[in-house]
Amino acid sequence: MLGTPVFAGVPSVSATGMVLMSPTTTGLLLEATGVSKTYGAVVALKSASLAVQPGEVHALMGANGAGKSTLVKILTGAIRPESGRIAVHGRERTVHSPAEARRSGLVSVYQEPSVIPDLDIRANLRLTETPLEPFRQWVHDLGLKNLDLSRLARRLPLASLRIIDLARALAIEPDVLMLDEMTAALPANLTERVLEVIGLQRGGERSVVFISHRMIEIAAVCDRATVLREGETVGVVDVTAGTEERIVELMLGSIVEGLPERAGETSTPAAGTAAPRLTVRGIAVGQKLRDASFELRSGEVLGVVALEGQGQDELFDVLSGSERPSGGELLVDGKPASFGHPADAIRAGVVYVASDRAEALLMQRSVRENIALPFITRIRRWGPIDLPAERRTVDAAVKRLQIDVRAGNEVRRLSGGNQQKVTIARWVAGGVHVLLCFDPTRGIDILTKQQIYVLLRDLAEAGAGVLLYTSELKEVQLVCDRAVVIFGGRIVKELVGAEADEAQLLRAAYHLRSGAVMPEEAAGAAVESATGDIREAGAPKDEAEIQA
Amino acid sequence: MSASVRTNQWLSVVGWRGLFRDRPIIPLIGLLGVLIVAIELADPGIVGPEWAGVIVRASVPLAILGGCQTLAMLTGGIDLSVAAVASMSGFVTATLLHSPGGVAQGIIVVLVVAAVAGLLNGIGIGVFRVHPLIMTLGMSFVVLGLANVWQLQNVQTGAGVPDSLRWIGSTTFADVVPYNLLVFIPLTALILVGLRRTGYGRLLYAIGDNPVAARLSGTRAWQVLIVLYVISAVMAAIAGLLISGLTNTASVSLVDASLLPSVAAAVIGGTSILGGRGGFGGTIVGALILTVLTALLTVLGLPEPSRQVLFGAIIVVVAAAYTRVTAET
Amino acid sequence: MSAAAVTTERSLSDVLVSPIRRNTWVLALLGLLAVLLVFTKLIQPSYGLAGVQGLGISILPLAFAAVAQAVVVIAGGVDLSIGSVMALTSVIAASLMEGQSDAFGVAVVVGVLLLGVVIGTTNGALVVITRVPDIVVTLAMSFVWAGCALLVRSAPGGAASPWLLNLVIGPFGNPWIPKAAIVLVVIVAIIWIPVARGRFGLSLYAVGSNQLAAFRSGVSIGRTKVLAYALTGLFATLAGLSLTASTSIGTPVPGPYTLESVAAVVLGGVSLAGGRGGVFGPIVAVVVLQIIQNDMTFLNVDPNYALVAQGVILIGVLVFGSVIEIRRARR
């Protein structure tokens, strides 16, 4: 699984053994020891330590809720620790705000863009006192073209904002640059550029702390990895060709489990003749999605693969009732359907799981209220609630998804993985015909991912149709029976799950012919269409259809 | 974070902090008790059944108006039109005293007018997504202006508060139990049960907590909001009738001075103006606290200005206490 | 890596279109203002010098109040104590100036302005320290400041220094230009333009637009908010002083200025969500509202309908605005 280095051009890592805890304390660029932080009753960090040498790319790894983001936020002054010591260049520092951290040479690119939406890019740069020329150079190196500095930030797509964030951080030349899930929301082509740029930081004076859930990225660019588990640093490992298993072992603790295996059984060819749950015929959304047609059958998990911004957002918005299509028709269980509101889709049995939990959950309410929310939305269900019946339904869903409800009074106190399970439980409890999942495993730990895979297969077995968009290409082979690839607003390819390995999918996502090597121009064009002007993003780039 | 928090993490969370967060009404009742003790100390012998009756009688309309704010605030909104609607309601009923239908007709008319105002509020906020602060503010201008026009046209007929309103608004059973509880208790029961045990009540919280999530789960927020603002306006009208009965006054600006206290009652009662958190029980206690406080300051002989200053200070302190205990970090 | 240069040049259409697009709202308001002036002249042919002069003086307090509100709303807050602060500063100024020399009057004005900054800073500090929503804190403080005003003086009274009256009443050079308008424009420009141009201005918009992103961009949220409220306190005090100047007494009971300033700000194109708009739009909105009120008088409409009209306009404009917004989002 980890054997295929997709990212060529990145120097390979010399193989050395695994070393526990920091080998040398001299000459460290950044050293943090005994860092702790609690949120109310939840211990986010117990005793974390991190030692970064000059010129290395250092991975910070751990399952969800292990405390990676918290540690980065503490190191860059975004939150304050309860205890702990932070030293930069051997001198102890206090970092009470991002501004102060920046003066100490510590800069982070967080999971959410920290660009001010109502200011244009130029004003944003002025606000952070970022030198313009280096910024432009980095934006260019990161592959973002035609960036108009007078555009308001809120008019730019997420991927562009992330690149801007990164370029801005690089432009001020921090001693330690921390990247928290930098690649999570990026399309594959931009991810590659980012990894290249990170790789170039090696061997110099500066260092990078890199957080990612994708082991392949860690293997590609990182020298060493610090592994966190339940708020504690449990080991420091040299990243080499054989240590991935060891890292996973450290992350999971006593539960020694490999990477996820194919979940459930591949459906038999007979599934190909099962009744269609969802029939999509020629659905279009302006210029962004055109003439999308496919069938989702009962018992099937259908993957959707696309680079960022190719029309998959619009497809899911239409199917979930958030947006009306400008053309085409939808059939649910053979009957024509038209959704003007998510409520219409839900009534037809078409339900939606978002990748962003903050979008799906009532953070201050209980697990129970969150799961029971869809039951009460129709006017005739506004009356008294049958509490015992509700409790039974909710408890069954909680049990089925193995949700840890100990902090269930307020969903915001649950871990990310548990929160995602709650968003799925909401629909499982009510029974689904069609489950739309938009990158449901983004940023959650490996164990929960595995549980979600199994659940999706189970739901399909039980007769539902599952549509799964994923940014993690590996998931297609793990979970999907078939996959469709969207490019430039069109469905350009359909693959059988078993043959859909990452290389295949990637080529299809770039809309290249099978077996072709990805040419530079095509990648550039895809980047542009993925990240350029929103208004033009929908226009397919015919240049991308170049043959090699 | 201070050292004390660390040393006794478990206790402090499960202890007073958790209590304040999950059952804010208990410390609130404690505060109410402290105020009552204070007033008894300031003027020994004042606290008794009759005194309690007077306090309750004065608190009821404020609690109802606070209820309007509570419901609106649960969805992340606010209703600034309650004062105008309430004043209009008392005033118009009084002018219709001599109409063929008498008081009953007057009450029906004002409830319908209030419902229309609420409906318009709800449509503006729910369908056209106008900010609640602005929508209800604009509506209060409209209602107040129209009430003024109505006043000019009816100036010769004269207006008197109907006896029945005076009875329910200001008299008490056995000199202790105010009759306005006849209106208040059923209303309270309805709201409390409605918020906790009905789908509609849950949706109010859901919309306030996360409108996007509510929508993705199938909630049509505009339906919920229209109903909400109609309920709020009708409650305001009822409060207006009780106030005009209590004060034996019919004036288009009668309730103006209660607008900000109604928000204050909800805030003190633990309802977050950001939505998704709070309830009506706290608001009732909040209204009682405000009334007792006013009484205490009167007993202490503090002039009106100092009373206002103290009022403001207490709102800030209580709201700050809530924010501290419910904050995540 | 590709060798193509990064294009950061602005296209011609951006240069021409974007300022218009960004200021559509204010331009539309100015258009409405022009239409209203023509309409006024039509229904009241005698509308002229006196009308314009009256307009100048009558808008002054609300215009300053609207600017005050705009500053804090841009920073993502709202100040419900503006009316009370106006009452407090107005009575203090009127009480101190009564029967005193001009020089003392100047000292009073300076002192009261400083007091306004202190009051605003107090509001802001409470918002920042308690972390209670702005609307609640300023609501509570509106009681406090109104109470203080009543402590200073329980009934309307006092007097304004003659020079203060002269400063705002009457024409400036050309008989068509009211002094009040000059005072308004000059003072707002002197204070606001340096603020908007500087880093503090960026911070204001940043904090109002997205607090988390602002914090991560190195902006001190607390300091920015406190300064925003201080600035609001200063403008609210200017509104209070113009109240004293235009009525020549101090009134301890807050007028309707708080809520009307919120209305004017929103009509003036400042988003209540923060981060968008400026102080010019709200001033235009105040003028528009005042002219509509005058027109209703000219048309012999019951003045109470003016209040109704104000409400209807407020709601109507916002409904219109959000319909456009919803349509744009659909496309």
Side-chain angles (χ1 to χ4, degrees):
Chain A
M1 226 155 284
L2 295 155
T4 43
V6 172
F7 306 104
V10 176
S12 63
V13 188
S14 65
T16 43
M18 187 199 90
V19 191
L20 271 178
M21 302 313 289
S22 43
T24 50
T25 43
T26 53
L28 287 175
L29 192 44
L30 169 69
E31 190 182 21
T33 45
V35 181
S36 73
K37 173 79 189 174
T38 55
Y39 292 101
V42 179
V43 180
L45 279 182
K46 225 178 288 171
S47 167
S49 58
L50 176 69
V52 181
Q53 292 166 351
E56 72 169 339
V57 178
H58 194 110
L60 192 54
M61 310 217 42
N64 248 66
K68 306 178 296 283
S69 298
T70 311
L71 182 56
V72 165
K73 284 178 185 161
I74 286 170
L75 291 175
T76 51
I79 52 180
R80 293 191 190 189
E82 265 128 41
S83 64
R85 207 181 63 86
I86 297 166
V88 183
H89 286 304
R91 289 223 309 276
E92 197 156 333
R93 298 287 184 122
T94 53
V95 276
H96 288 329
S97 71
E100 208 174 310
R102 189 177 141 166
R103 284 192 289 275
S104 302
L106 310 176
V107 170
S108 172
V109 176
Y110 301 96
Q111 285 189 38
E112 320 80 26
S114 45
V115 181
I116 311 294
D118 286 313
L119 293 177
D120 61 24
I121 302 303
R122 195 173 272 114
N124 264 295
L125 296 176
R126 205 149 68 83
L127 188 68
T128 48
E129 286 157 359
T130 308
L132 197 58
E133 273 319 309
F135 172 79
R136 286 188 185 188
Q137 189 55 47
W138 283 116
V139 164
H140 170 240
D141 290 353
L142 289 165
L144 191 62
K145 285 173 195 156
N146 301 323
L147 177 67
D148 175 3
L149 293 185
S150 64
R151 292 291 297 274
L152 285 185
R154 71 181 137 89
R155 302 218 189 279
L156 293 172
L158 178 65
S160 301
L161 294 179
R162 304 234 51 178
I163 296 295
I164 289 168
D165 243 355
L166 176 58
R168 194 166 61 165
L170 286 162
I172 54 180
E173 304 187 342
D175 288 336
V176 183
L177 174 62
M178 303 185 209
L179 306 176
D180 190 353
E181 293 281 358
M182 176 68 211
T183 52
L186 289 185
N189 46 7
L190 284 180
T191 300
E192 196 179 342
R193 289 292 182 94
V194 168
L195 293 179
E196 250 175 74
V197 166
I198 293 170
L200 290 174
Q201 303 290 304
R202 285 165 143 179
E205 296 283 291
R206 308 175 201 289
S207 317
V208 176
V209 172
F210 187 72
I211 296 180
S212 171
H213 274 295
R214 299 175 188 163
M215 193 67 84
I216 199 155
E217 295 175 0
I218 305 290
V221 293
C222 296
D223 302 300
R224 297 193 303 150
T226 290
V227 182
L228 289 176
R229 186 170 74 233
E230 288 162 8
E232 266 180 299
T233 297
V234 290
V236 181
V237 181
D238 278 0
V239 178
T240 57
T243 50
E244 293 94 342
E245 291 296 338
R246 175 67 187 144
I247 290 175
V248 172
E249 209 173 289
L250 280 170
M251 276 163 60
L252 296 176
S254 53
I255 321 152
V256 183
E257 201 164 332
L259 287 164
E261 300 297 325
R262 163 116 196 152
E265 294 298 306
T266 316
S267 57
T268 53
T273 58
R277 279 294 193 187
L278 182 70
T279 309
V280 178
R281 277 194 205 139
I283 287 289
V285 179
Q287 297 295 303
K288 291 176 186 159
L289 180 68
R290 285 188 282 182
D291 196 25
S293 301
F294 60 85
E295 263 187 2
L296 174 62
R297 301 187 194 95
S298 172
E300 176 180 56
V301 179
L302 175 62
V304 176
V305 173
L307 304 174
E308 190 87 356
Q310 300 300 311
Q312 67 270 39
D313 303 74
E314 286 75 18
L315 175 66
F316 276 74
D317 282 350
V318 165
L319 297 180
S320 64
S322 290
E323 189 175 354
R324 276 196 188 278
S326 53
E329 62 173 339
L330 274 181
L331 282 82
V332 179
D333 291 328
K335 288 190 278 293
S338 164
F339 305 149
H341 189 280
D344 299 331
I346 292 163
R347 191 185 288 202
V350 180
V351 301
Y352 172 65
V353 174
S355 65
D356 183 3
R357 271 92 64 185
E359 204 175 78
L361 291 175
L362 312 175
M363 288 297 179
Q364 302 176 77
R365 310 307 301 176
S366 65
V367 167
R368 187 163 136 195
E369 273 185 50
N370 270 282
I371 292 178
L373 181 57
F375 306 161
I376 52 164
T377 54
R378 289 163 67 180
I379 290 184
R380 62 186 178 84
R381 305 293 297 274
W382 282 7
I385 298 170
D386 179 356
L387 290 175
E390 180 189 281
R391 190 188 303 269
R392 277 195 300 277
T393 321
V394 169
D395 285 352
V398 164
K399 206 171 156 204
R400 176 155 185 200
L401 274 87
Q402 302 163 41
I403 301 172
D404 180 358
V405 291
R406 275 174 301 176
N409 264 349
E410 282 183 308
V411 162
R412 63 177 173 177
R413 292 187 229 160
L414 298 183
S415 72
N418 267 314
Q419 288 182 350
Q420 188 62 289
K421 286 194 211 166
V422 171
T423 68
I424 301 177
R426 172 183 288 169
W427 304 122
V428 172
V432 293
H433 293 181
V434 176
L435 184 67
L436 310 166
C437 294
F438 195 89
D439 224 358
T441 58
R442 185 185 289 176
I444 62 180
D445 66 273
I446 218 159
L447 265 180
T448 311
K449 273 183 185 173
Q450 176 76 354
Q451 288 175 333
I452 289 176
Y453 301 151
V454 171
L455 181 77
L456 294 184
R457 291 280 3 151
D458 283 356
L459 288 171
E461 295 301 311
V466 178
L467 191 68
L468 171 71
Y469 166 76
T470 173
S471 60
E472 216 166 318
L473 301 178
K474 193 175 60 199
E475 290 183 350
V476 173
Q477 249 179 331
L478 283 172
V479 200
C480 300
D481 300 303
R482 288 187 300 143
V484 292
V485 180
I486 304 181
F487 181 84
R490 290 176 197 278
I491 294 182
V492 293
K493 201 168 175 66
E494 191 184 316
L495 297 151
V496 176
E499 76 183 45
D501 62 14
E502 286 179 62
Q504 278 265 354
L505 288 167
L506 209 57
R507 271 196 294 273
Y510 282 110
H511 199 199
L512 298 171
R513 290 201 174 167
S514 176
V517 178
M518 189 189 310
E520 190 64 32
E521 297 89 327
V527 172
E528 248 175 81
S529 72
T531 59
D533 193 314
I534 280 184
R535 286 170 302 184
E536 290 145 23
K541 301 282 187 240
D542 288 325
E543 318 88 86
E545 299 189 18
I546 314 164
Q547 306 169 24
Chain B
M1 284 282 143
S2 64
S4 61
V5 177
R6 229 180 312 146
T7 49
N8 221 337
Q9 194 67 51
W10 195 83
L11 253 184
S12 73
V13 167
V14 179
W16 68 272
R17 210 177 143 159
L19 181 72
F20 207 3
R21 183 173 57 210
D22 298 330
R23 295 251 172 279
I25 205 160
I26 293 171
L28 272 182
I29 291 174
L31 175 60
L32 183 60
V34 169
L35 286 174
I36 293 175
V37 168
I39 203 169
E40 176 66 19
L41 289 177
D43 186 359
I46 187 177
V47 175
E50 286 172 34
W51 176 82
V54 170
I55 292 293
V56 169
R57 191 179 62 186
S59 304
V60 161
L62 183 57
I64 298 177
L65 291 176
C68 301
Q69 304 299 354
T70 306
L71 298 183
M73 279 160 64
L74 286 179
T75 66
I78 193 166
D79 191 346
L80 295 186
S81 67
V82 291
V85 169
S87 303
M88 177 279 297
S89 133
F91 177 72
V92 172
T93 308
T95 59
L96 290 177
L97 182 59
H98 303 297
S99 64
V103 180
Q105 186 195 11
I107 291 177
I108 289 168
V109 167
V110 298
L111 290 183
V112 170
V113 171
V116 170
L119 183 69
L120 293 175
N121 274 338
I123 291 174
I125 295 161
V127 179
F128 294 106
R129 298 175 212 171
V130 178
H131 196 291
L133 188 79
I134 293 299
M135 184 67 212
T136 55
L137 174 61
M139 186 54 66
S140 77
F141 291 160
V142 173
V143 171
L144 199 63
L146 290 178
N148 272 319
V149 174
W150 180 257
Q151 179 180 34
L152 288 177
Q153 284 167 3
N154 289 275
V155 78
Q156 64 276 45
T157 48
V161 178
D163 291 340
S164 46
L165 286 187
R166 280 216 302 269
W167 176 78
I168 199 150
S170 65
T171 57
T172 48
F173 175 74
D175 285 339
V176 174
V177 185
Y179 284 119
N180 61 14
L181 287 179
L182 290 176
V183 176
F184 186 67
I185 289 174
L187 187 67
T188 303
L190 214 60
I191 297 174
L192 287 177
V193 172
L195 284 179
R196 289 204 190 143
R197 296 270 185 269
T198 68
Y200 182 74
R202 289 252 188 101
L203 289 184
L204 289 179
Y205 286 96
I207 287 178
D209 189 303
N210 187 345
V212 177
R215 179 183 152 85
L216 287 178
S217 301
T219 312
R220 294 177 200 267
W222 61 270
Q223 297 172 339
V224 180
L225 290 172
I226 287 178
V227 173
L228 161 69
Y229 283 97
V230 170
I231 293 176
S232 173
V234 169
M235 278 168 60
I238 293 171
L241 294 175
L242 294 179
I243 293 174
S244 103
L246 178 66
T247 56
N248 194 16
T249 317
S251 139
V252 286
S253 58
L254 179 63
V255 190
D256 283 4
S258 297
L259 176 60
L260 299 185
S262 73
V263 179
V267 169
I268 290 178
T271 300
S272 163
I273 205 151
L274 303 175
R277 185 195 290 280
F280 187 49
T283 305
I284 298 174
V285 182
L288 283 168
I289 287 176
L290 288 178
T291 314
V292 173
L293 186 66
T294 311
L296 174 64
L297 296 176
T298 315
V299 166
L300 290 177
L302 280 176
E304 170 65 18
S306 333
R307 224 190 298 175
Q308 284 196 20
V309 173
L310 225 86
F311 229 68
I314 284 175
I315 298 172
V316 172
V317 169
V318 173
Y322 276 118
T323 311
R324 272 198 81 81
V325 296
T326 55
E328 190 68 334
T329 44
Chain C
M1 281 187 199
S2 116
V6 189
T7 1
T8 48
E9 268 67 52
R10 308 161 74 177
S11 70
L12 184 66
S13 71
D14 275 352
V15 172
L16 291 179
V17 175
S18 112
I20 296 176
R21 190 187 292 160
R22 284 193 195 175
N23 296 305
T24 332
W25 192 276
V26 176
L27 290 173
L29 263 183
L30 283 173
L32 177 63
L33 178 59
V35 171
L36 275 172
L37 284 173
V38 172
F39 178 72
T40 309
K41 190 69 189 167
L42 285 178
I43 58 166
Q44 186 78 3
S46 67
Y47 190 82
L49 278 179
V52 171
Q53 291 295 340
L55 188 65
I57 190 71
S58 59
I59 62 156
L60 198 56
L62 183 55
F64 274 125
V67 172
Q69 193 67 270
V71 173
V72 73
V73 170
I74 286 171
V78 67
D79 190 345
L80 296 187
S81 72
I82 285 178
S84 303
V85 174
M86 284 169 72
L88 175 58
T89 51
S90 159
V91 284
I92 290 178
S95 302
L96 290 178
M97 280 193 269
E98 189 172 17
Q100 299 288 341
S101 68
D102 281 3
F104 188 77
V106 173
V108 168
V109 167
V110 173
V112 169
L113 286 174
L114 285 176
L115 176 70
V117 173
V118 172
I119 288 173
T121 308
T122 310
N123 284 346
L126 282 173
V127 167
V128 170
I129 292 168
T130 63
R131 291 199 250 156
V132 172
D134 305 59
I135 189 170
V136 174
V137 170
T138 56
L139 171 68
M141 294 314 285
S142 76
F143 289 110
V144 173
W145 305 128
C148 290
L150 283 169
L151 284 177
V152 172
R153 182 164 215 120
S154 56
S161 294
W163 68 267
L164 191 59
L165 298 176
N166 281 330
L167 191 64
V168 295
I169 295 170
F172 182 82
N174 186 325
W176 282 96
I177 302 174
K179 277 186 192 166
I182 300 295
V183 166
L184 176 68
V185 170
V186 168
I187 292 181
V188 171
I190 286 176
I191 302 175
W192 179 248
I193 290 177
V195 166
R197 288 275 165 89
R199 192 165 181 277
F200 171 58
L202 282 181
S203 307
L204 272 185
Y205 283 90
V207 168
S209 180
N210 183 334
Q211 272 201 25
L212 186 63
F215 177 59
R216 288 174 176 176
S217 296
V219 175
S220 164
I221 308 289
R223 199 184 335 160
T224 307
K225 279 209 140 182
V226 172
L227 285 174
Y229 274 98
L231 204 53
T232 294
L234 180 62
F235 278 117
T237 306
L238 284 163
L241 286 173
S242 36
L243 206 56
T244 302
S246 59
T247 59
S248 79
I249 53 165
T251 310
V253 179
Y257 295 103
T258 301
L259 296 182
E260 290 197 351
S261 70
V262 175
V265 157
V266 173
L267 284 182
V270 179
S271 161
L272 274 185
R276 298 189 206 176
V279 299
F280 185 59
I283 294 178
V284 180
V286 168
V287 179
V288 166
L289 286 175
Q290 186 62 46
I291 293 182
I292 289 173
Q293 206 171 329
N294 292 353
D295 283 359
M296 300 197 90
T297 319
F298 298 144
L299 290 172
N300 277 326
V301 179
D302 181 334
N304 286 303
Y305 280 117
L307 197 59
V308 180
Q310 196 180 336
V312 170
I313 290 167
L314 185 58
I315 295 169
V317 167
L318 285 170
V319 166
F320 177 72
S322 74
V323 167
I324 290 179
E325 197 70 19
I326 291 169
R327 281 225 177 147
R328 191 179 293 164
R330 286 244 174 94
R331 234 184 304 133

